[in-house]
């Protein structure tokens, strides 16, 4: 991000500050309302979280006043499609492993994650997924005797 | 002599064929994942953790330890050859090592790195053997405030690892501590921040948390720019360093070993802090400072010795106090607990074969690394030609299987996704994940010791400075913090981290 010379605040630091102040207020407030504080010699469940939230809030405000870093790298980001796909992948595995089992679930995750790349072709994605699935079944099922079922509840009933 | 009989127990354990085999598997796997960027020892140990359930305790710990120090070794190979540190701890090695490679001296750099690591490993093994018993006895004298202050020191030390601003580093720690409070309160049984979700009752699952923060965020960073890498054009010739190389490296290896052994023991220390500190020291003490940045062999020898020594001595707090000094050690504790073994000061008496076996295995493992890896360098280079767009799906796949197999709970995968997003967001805000993860690991323990301390003292917080051990730990923490904040050190930190790009 290119900060303007002379500006006292860095936009990136302000965003940082706001996010963590928000977390501090939310968690601290939640703990204050829902948990007993107790006294120092007999702390309740809320004491430590509230204490941390207060410290976090104060430090977060401090970040807003940090001078902008002139040498900061330009803010780049992965393509939105790639971000969404990669972040969804663990969930795809999570939701498919029990109904479908390891074979299909692993194949699915590898195939979908390949779509995040601009370089990999569909054909390559297919063969990579197939090969990785075979590899995982051999290693985890036959060699390491892991207990994850190969076929899920949908097939085995 | 006690020392010899202890080491004898260790050798007896390690030389059982099954343990030798697992030691070899550990260092081999470790080197491989160290070479590959994007998958580190943390993820690998996480994947293998559930699998070790069926192994004997010694074999399991020996293998997991081998992955850790093997990864340091593999990481430096790629750092030297293609300026791509496979592991964070070898980022410093890339500075001088890659310059040496460009001058056609890759072989010498790799050999010195291997020899330095082996010397450091030997010394650290002896050091642990000598000091383990006194340290355990000291550990038995630790009172709750001492434990608390020890963790404060560890957290403060971890800021030195973060490349960005010190303030943001502290915020990461506090945020990590706060995330650590999620789950059931041990004293009252009340659920905290679970928002009615049963799956959160035992807190955030650490493997899922770590895999999200590290693996997912790292993969997304890799996807930002998919332009093809230059094909490798490396010729490794002359593995044998010259006599001058040996002379130049001797002192740095010695200093790096001492520094690494000491910094590794500190909670929060370990391989990365050690290699970083050693580079600073060598640069300052160099007879020819102008060679630094242009392939000074001292800048390879020192940090490589230091990170290996640090990797080994970072087992000390885990084995003697039961306190993990870094996230990986937290997983090691997990491995012990899976085996039904309680880590802590009594481990050394209750499980002598395990304790000394693990320590001696590190020395044997280092020997294997030297003997096997210099001839195998060609293989590791070939591993690097695997294209990243074929590699990252495999990392996602392995991580997902690993995360799931810990608890067989699909909910953990959701946590992994969520913290993958958080982790990537944090890198955009220029935050480092290491202090966050360490805060998260130490949080529940810190709270327990804080509450116990205050309960025993009747609410009097001055015990933290009236207990001598605690006072010295806090003073040391303050000194570390002041040093990190000093302008000269700050600028030098940024200097190193800029050079690493």
């Amino acid at each position: 991000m290119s900060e303007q010379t002379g500006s006292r605040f860095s936009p990136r630091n302000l965003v940082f500050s706001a996010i963590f102040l928000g977390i501090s207020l939310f968690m601290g407030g939640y703990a204050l309302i829902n948990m007993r504080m107790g006294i120092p010699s007999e702390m309740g469940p809320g004491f430590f979280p509230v204490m941390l939230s207060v410290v976090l809030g104060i430090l977060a405000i401090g970040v807003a006043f940090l001078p902008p870093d002139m040498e900061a790298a330009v803010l780049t980001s992965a393509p939105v499609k790639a971000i969404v796909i990669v972040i969804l992948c663990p969930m795809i595995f999570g939701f498919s492993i029990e109904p479908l089992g390891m074979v299909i679930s692993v194949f699915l995750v590898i195939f979908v994650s390949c779509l995040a790349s601009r370089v990999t072709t569909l054909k390559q994605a297919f063969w990579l997924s197939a090969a990785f699935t075979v590899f995982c079944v051999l290693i985890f099922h036959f060699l390491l005797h892991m207990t994850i079922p190969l076929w899920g509840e949908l097939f085995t009933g | 002599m006690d020392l010899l009989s202890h080491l004898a127990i260790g050798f007896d354990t390690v030389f059982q064929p099954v343990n030798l085999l697992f030691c070899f598997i550990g260092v081999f796997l470790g080197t491989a994942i160290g070479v590959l960027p994007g998958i580190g020892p943390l993820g690998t140990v996480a994947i293998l953790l559930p699998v070790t359930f069926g192994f004997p305790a010694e074999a399991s710990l020996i293998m997991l330890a081998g992955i850790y120090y093997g990864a340091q070794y593999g990481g430096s190979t790629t750092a030297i050859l293609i300026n791509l540190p496979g592991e964070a701890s070898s980022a410093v090695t890339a500075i001088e090592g890659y310059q040496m490679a460009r001058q056609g001296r890759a072989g010498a750099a790799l050999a010195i790195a291997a020899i330095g690591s082996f010397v450091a490993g030997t010394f650290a093994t002896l050091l642990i053997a000598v000091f383990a018993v006194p340290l355990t006895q000291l550990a038995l004298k630790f009172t709750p405030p001492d434990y608390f202050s020890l963790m404060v020191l560890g957290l403060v030390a971890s800021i030195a690892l973060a490349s960005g601003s010190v303030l943001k580093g502290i915020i990461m720690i506090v945020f990590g501590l706060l995330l650590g409070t999620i789950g059931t309160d041990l004293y009252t049984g009340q659920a905290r921040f679970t928002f009615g979700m049963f799956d959160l009752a035992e807190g955030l699952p650490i493997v899922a948390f770590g895999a999200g923060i590290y693996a997912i965020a790292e993969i997304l960073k890799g996807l930002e720019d998919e332009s093809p890498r230059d094909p490798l054009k490396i010729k490794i010739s002359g593995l044998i360093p010259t006599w001058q190389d040996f002379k130049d490296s001797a002192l740095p290896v010695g200093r790096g070993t001492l520094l690494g052994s000491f910094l590794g023991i500190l909670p929060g220390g370990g391989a990365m802090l050690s290699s970083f500190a050693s580079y600073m020291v060598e640069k300052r003490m160099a007879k020819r400072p102008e060679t630094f940045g242009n392939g000074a062999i001292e800048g390879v020898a020192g940090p490589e010795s230091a990170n290996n020594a640090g990797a080994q001595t970072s087992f000390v707090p885990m084995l003697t106090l039961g306190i993990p000094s870094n996230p990986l050690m937290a997983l090691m504790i997990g491995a012990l607990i899976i085996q039904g073994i309680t880590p802590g000061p009594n481990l050394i008496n209750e499980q002598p074969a395990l304790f000394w076996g693990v320590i001696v295995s590190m020395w044997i493992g280092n020997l294997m690394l030297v003997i096997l890896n210099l001839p195998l360098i060609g293989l590791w280079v070939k591993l690097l030609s695997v294209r990243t767009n074929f590699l990252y799906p495999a990392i996602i796949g392995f991580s997902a299987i690993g995360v799931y197999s810990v608890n067989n709970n699909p909910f953990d995968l959701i946590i992994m996704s969520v913290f993958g997003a958080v982790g990537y967001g944090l890198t955009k805000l220029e935050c480092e994940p290491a202090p966050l993860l360490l805060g998260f690991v130490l949080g529940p323990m810190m709270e327990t010791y804080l509450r116990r301390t205050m309960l025993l003292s009747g609410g009097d917080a001055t015990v933290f400075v009236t207990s001598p051990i605690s006072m010295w730990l806090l003073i040391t923490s303050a000194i570390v913090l002041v040093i990190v904040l000093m302008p000269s050190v700050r600028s030098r930190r940024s200097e190193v981290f800029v050079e690493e790009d």
Side-chain angles (χ1 to χ4, degrees):
Chain A
M1 200 183 291
S2 57
E3 271 87 26
Q4 282 172 352
T5 337
S7 162
R8 275 198 60 229
F9 297 102
S10 134
R12 215 186 299 191
N13 284 343
L14 285 178
V15 170
F16 182 99
S17 189
I19 290 174
F20 281 94
L21 192 61
I23 292 173
S24 147
L25 290 175
F26 173 72
M27 290 190 85
Y30 185 87
L32 261 182
I33 294 168
N34 295 297
M35 305 171 197
R36 203 170 47 81
M37 280 290 282
I39 49 171
S41 63
E42 233 189 293
M43 293 180 190
F47 200 98
F48 197 58
V50 170
M51 196 175 89
L52 291 173
S53 301
V54 171
V55 175
L56 184 66
I58 295 171
L59 294 173
I61 293 172
V63 170
F65 294 97
L66 284 181
D69 183 358
M70 292 307 167
E71 291 156 26
V74 179
L75 190 67
T76 52
S77 145
V80 178
K81 184 184 130 197
I83 298 180
V84 172
I85 289 176
V86 170
I87 287 176
L88 280 181
C89 274
M91 284 207 241
I92 293 174
F93 185 83
F95 285 114
S96 64
I97 183 73
E98 287 182 354
L100 301 176
M102 186 156 108
V103 175
I104 299 178
S105 197
V106 168
F107 185 91
L108 206 62
V109 168
I110 302 300
F111 190 81
V112 172
S113 68
C114 281
L115 303 178
S117 165
R118 279 170 295 196
V119 187
T120 316
T121 62
L122 279 180
K123 204 174 151 194
Q124 287 172 331
F126 176 83
W127 286 112
L128 183 71
S129 314
F132 189 79
T133 308
V134 171
F135 179 77
C136 281
V137 169
L138 287 179
I139 294 282
F140 291 113
H141 189 80
F142 291 105
L143 194 70
L144 296 173
H145 302 293
M146 229 163 174
T147 52
I148 304 178
L150 289 184
W151 304 101
E153 290 153 4
L154 270 183
F155 306 101
T156 54
Chain B
M1 214 176 119
D2 254 6
L3 177 64
L4 288 181
S5 65
H6 288 149
L7 288 177
I9 301 175
F11 276 104
D12 276 352
T13 314
V14 177
F15 280 120
Q16 289 166 17
V18 57
N19 291 338
L20 274 179
L21 177 70
F22 275 100
C23 186
F24 174 75
I25 296 176
V27 293
F28 188 83
L29 259 181
T31 315
I33 54 130
V35 167
L36 293 170
I39 182 157
L42 194 69
T44 313
V45 171
I47 292 167
L48 289 176
L49 195 62
V51 177
T52 60
F53 181 67
F55 303 169
E58 289 86 14
S60 133
L61 262 273
I62 284 172
M63 181 185 77
L64 297 177
I67 291 175
Y68 182 41
Y69 56 79
Q72 316 303 328
Y73 191 100
S76 44
T77 306
T78 48
I80 290 170
L81 291 180
I82 55 166
N83 199 19
L84 185 79
E87 297 309 317
S89 60
S90 32
V92 175
T93 310
I95 304 172
E96 303 300 330
Y98 182 60
Q99 292 301 327
M100 285 183 70
R102 281 176 58 177
Q103 295 160 15
R105 300 181 63 220
L110 288 166
I112 284 293
I115 295 164
S117 297
F118 179 68
V119 172
T122 309
F123 181 79
T125 306
L126 277 176
L127 195 80
I128 299 174
V130 172
F131 284 106
V133 176
L135 270 175
T136 347
Q137 275 153 6
L138 180 71
L140 289 170
K141 291 200 186 78
F142 265 46
T143 57
D146 304 334
Y147 272 106
F148 181 83
S149 304
L150 182 68
M151 288 183 234
V152 171
L153 175 60
L155 291 174
V156 169
S158 79
I159 303 173
L161 305 178
S163 61
S165 94
V166 174
L167 187 57
K168 285 184 185 173
I170 301 177
I171 288 181
M172 284 299 102
I173 289 176
V174 178
F175 184 44
L177 291 172
L178 204 51
L179 290 176
T181 63
I182 294 176
T184 309
D185 175 34
L186 289 176
Y187 279 69
T188 60
Q190 192 188 342
R192 300 193 290 189
F193 301 115
T194 59
F195 306 103
M197 285 181 273
F198 273 119
D199 293 304
L200 281 176
E202 284 179 37
L204 290 173
I206 177 167
V207 175
F209 180 78
I213 292 271
Y214 274 103
I216 298 285
E218 206 49 48
I219 288 167
L220 284 172
K221 260 195 272 177
L223 284 171
E224 283 173 12
D225 179 17
E226 282 196 87
S227 48
R229 253 183 307 173
D230 297 334
L232 299 173
K233 292 180 297 243
I234 299 163
K235 238 183 78 212
I236 305 158
S237 53
L239 273 179
I240 313 292
T242 62
W243 178 240
Q244 186 63 36
D245 289 337
F246 278 117
K247 273 205 317 205
D248 288 342
S249 311
L251 278 176
V253 166
R255 284 192 289 260
T257 303
L258 287 177
L259 199 64
S261 303
F262 172 71
L263 291 176
I265 293 175
L266 289 183
M272 186 176 166
L273 179 63
S274 310
S275 61
F276 173 79
S278 165
Y279 185 75
M280 299 279 78
V281 168
E282 292 313 323
K283 202 171 176 183
R284 168 159 283 192
M285 298 189 74
K287 272 178 260 152
R288 293 166 297 147
E290 71 280 2
T291 60
F292 271 75
N294 297 313
I297 198 160
E298 295 93 331
V300 173
E304 277 306 301
S305 315
N307 77 22
N308 210 9
Q312 263 173 257
T313 55
S314 63
F315 279 80
V316 168
M318 194 271 283
L319 289 172
T320 57
L321 295 168
I323 291 182
S325 57
N326 55 45
L328 197 110
M329 291 302 142
L331 291 183
M332 295 280 183
I333 289 191
L336 283 174
I337 292 172
I338 287 179
Q339 301 279 353
I341 296 168
T342 323
N346 292 320
L347 184 76
I348 194 170
N349 296 323
E350 287 166 7
Q351 303 277 347
L354 173 73
F355 187 95
W356 297 107
V358 169
I359 288 172
V360 173
S361 82
M362 296 184 197
W363 188 73
I364 301 288
N366 272 299
L367 194 63
M368 289 182 184
L369 283 172
V370 173
I371 296 172
L372 290 171
N373 281 337
L374 287 178
L376 284 182
I377 280 171
L379 174 73
W380 303 132
V381 172
K382 205 158 270 146
L383 194 56
L384 270 172
S385 54
V386 176
R387 282 160 54 189
T388 38
N389 63 318
F390 295 146
L391 190 61
Y392 80 84
I395 295 172
I396 295 182
F398 280 134
S399 310
I401 294 173
V403 165
Y404 177 73
S405 55
V406 177
N407 298 322
N408 283 345
N409 186 351
F411 179 81
D412 290 5
L413 274 309
I414 300 177
I415 294 290
M416 179 177 161
S417 281
V418 170
F419 280 95
V422 171
Y424 187 57
L426 287 175
T427 61
K428 293 295 122 194
L429 293 168
E430 294 169 315
C431 291
E432 292 278 316
L436 176 69
L437 203 50
L438 193 65
F440 173 73
V441 169
L442 291 181
M445 273 187 257
M446 269 186 102
E447 184 184 11
T448 306
Y449 285 113
L450 176 68
R451 283 163 85 165
R452 202 175 291 169
T453 304
M454 297 305 268
L455 192 67
L456 291 172
S457 72
D460 178 12
T462 57
V463 283
F464 288 111
V465 285
T466 49
S467 158
I469 300 178
S470 165
M471 183 186 71
W472 281 110
L473 288 168
L474 287 178
I475 290 177
T476 315
S477 315
I479 294 173
V480 171
L481 199 58
V482 169
I483 292 176
V484 175
L485 282 169
M486 271 185 339
S488 62
V489 178
R490 277 178 75 174
S491 60
R492 210 167 307 136
R493 276 169 80 229
S494 56
E495 198 178 302
V496 164
F497 282 104
V498 166
E499 281 174 58
E500 127 196 354
D501 291 333

